[in-house]
Amino acid sequence: MTDYSEEQRNELEALESIYPDSFTVLSEKPATFTITVTSEAGENDETVQTTLKFTYREKYPDETPLYEIVSQENLDDNDVMDIIKLLEQQAEENLGMVMIFTLVSAVQEKLNEIVDQIKTRREEEKKQKEREAEEEEKQRFHGTPVTIENFLNWKAKFDAELLEIKRKKMKEEEQAGKNKLSGKQLFEMDHNLDTSDIQFLEEAGNNVEVDESLFQEMDDLELEDEEDDPDYNPVNLDSD
């Protein structure tokens, strides 16, 4: 007859020896404990970590232990689900044998794989950014290659914009033509224009000053008689 209590006690002592810094007993009946598992250091000493909680069932190891993840660092939801599935698989495969060390070792390897995946993913993201930067630099110097399709698209857009500009210009010219009035129209619309000069004189009254120096005495003007003109010809006058 299997002494389950003895097997469980012996395994607990072994686990405490193997994981002295990460093994913690939470209760004795039923035996419940946690083990913190940390991956190997990845890029920039980055690690991923999880704390597993185990509880022995009465007939363990002929029954699988209860297990759960109580905390984690740098793991996403998919990683957590993968670890749970891994524990389930390993527990079924090792049924009948003490298995906590095996389960923890499997999780340890999984965490190391996750760190490697993070490193690979970041390298791919870095390369992708470099490729995008190179492509952007090429576009800056060489521009977009002209194809029939993008040329036709550009021309259609250009023609539409040109047509819109012409329409606006024609509309503005038409509107300006409607608003522009001739001198006659302005005169007919504003009746003050025909009385403005008279009104000016009436308002000025006797105060209108004339600069007489602008005019000369008739005697001071040097006017030649027609007879003194050498080109004067009375015959020509009659012919007119």
Side-chain angles (χ1 to χ4, degrees), residues 108-229:
Q108 176 81 57
E109 292 180 5
K110 182 64 177 179
L111 296 183
N112 292 338
E113 290 177 5
I114 292 172
V115 168
D116 291 338
Q117 290 171 0
I118 292 174
K119 179 181 178 181
T120 301
R121 183 168 61 248
R122 288 182 176 175
E123 289 177 351
E124 287 298 322
E125 291 174 352
K126 182 179 178 182
K127 290 179 180 179
Q128 180 63 26
K129 289 181 180 179
E130 291 175 351
R131 287 193 293 267
E132 291 176 354
E134 291 177 0
E135 186 64 25
E136 184 178 349
E137 194 70 16
K138 289 181 181 178
Q139 293 291 340
R140 184 181 303 173
F141 286 99
H142 300 290
T144 303
V146 178
T147 64
I148 295 177
E149 182 180 0
N150 61 29
F151 173 77
L152 292 177
N153 290 336
W154 170 84
K155 187 159 189 320
K157 182 178 179 181
F158 175 80
D159 291 343
E161 292 177 352
L162 186 61
L163 180 60
E164 184 63 23
I165 291 173
K166 289 182 178 179
R167 287 177 177 173
K168 288 182 179 180
K169 186 176 180 181
M170 290 177 63
K171 186 175 181 180
E172 290 174 357
E173 291 177 349
E174 181 181 354
Q175 190 66 31
K178 290 180 179 179
N179 295 336
K180 186 176 181 181
L181 299 176
S182 65
K184 181 179 180 181
Q185 290 173 324
L186 288 172
F187 187 84
E188 291 175 346
M189 290 178 61
D190 189 356
H191 297 290
N192 293 325
L193 293 176
D194 57 353
T195 59
S196 60
D197 292 342
I198 298 174
Q199 183 178 357
F200 169 74
L201 292 174
E202 290 178 348
E203 291 177 354
N206 297 327
N207 295 325
V208 177
E209 296 181 0
V210 178
D211 188 354
E212 296 181 358
S213 65
L214 297 176
F215 300 92
Q216 298 179 346
E217 295 290 339
M218 293 296 295
D219 296 338
D220 295 335
L221 297 177
E222 296 181 359
L223 300 178
E224 296 181 353
D225 293 335
E226 293 179 349
E227 296 179 355
D228 295 334
D229 186 357

Side-chain angles (χ1 to χ4, degrees), residues 9-121:
R9 186 166 49 253
N10 291 337
E11 185 180 39
L12 286 173
E13 291 177 359
L15 292 173
E16 187 176 8
S17 176
I18 296 171
Y19 306 107
D21 298 326
S22 59
F23 177 83
T24 302
V25 175
L26 301 179
S27 66
E28 295 182 357
K29 292 184 179 181
T32 303
F33 55 91
T34 61
I35 298 177
T36 299
V37 188
T38 305
S39 70
E40 296 176 355
E43 188 177 11
N44 300 324
D45 294 330
E46 185 179 39
T47 61
V48 293
Q49 179 177 287
T50 183
T51 297
L52 306 174
K53 178 182 176 182
F54 297 99
T55 300
Y56 286 151
R57 290 179 176 175
E58 184 179 355
K59 294 183 179 181
Y60 172 84
D62 287 340
E63 292 179 322
T64 59
L66 300 175
Y67 48 81
E68 63 179 299
I69 295 176
V70 294
S71 67
Q72 56 84 16
E73 292 181 10
N74 301 325
L75 294 173
D76 58 30
D77 293 341
N78 290 333
D79 293 331
V80 173
M81 293 299 298
D82 289 342
I83 292 172
I84 293 295
K85 291 178 181 179
L86 177 62
L87 289 170
E88 182 180 354
Q89 176 188 350
Q90 291 294 319
E92 291 295 332
E93 291 179 359
N94 291 276
L95 192 61
M97 299 179 291
V98 289
M99 64 182 74
I100 301 302
F101 176 78
T102 301
L103 298 182
V104 173
S105 297
V107 172
Q108 176 81 57
E109 292 180 5
K110 182 64 177 179
L111 296 183
N112 292 338
E113 290 177 5
I114 292 172
V115 168
D116 291 338
Q117 290 171 0
I118 292 174
K119 179 181 178 181
T120 301
R121 183 168 61 248

Side-chain angles (χ1 to χ4, degrees), residues 1-16:
M1 183 176 178
T2 303
D3 188 349
Y4 296 114
S5 297
E6 182 68 19
E7 288 196 43
Q8 293 172 12
R9 186 166 49 253
N10 291 337
E11 185 180 39
L12 286 173
E13 291 177 359
L15 292 173
E16 187 176 8

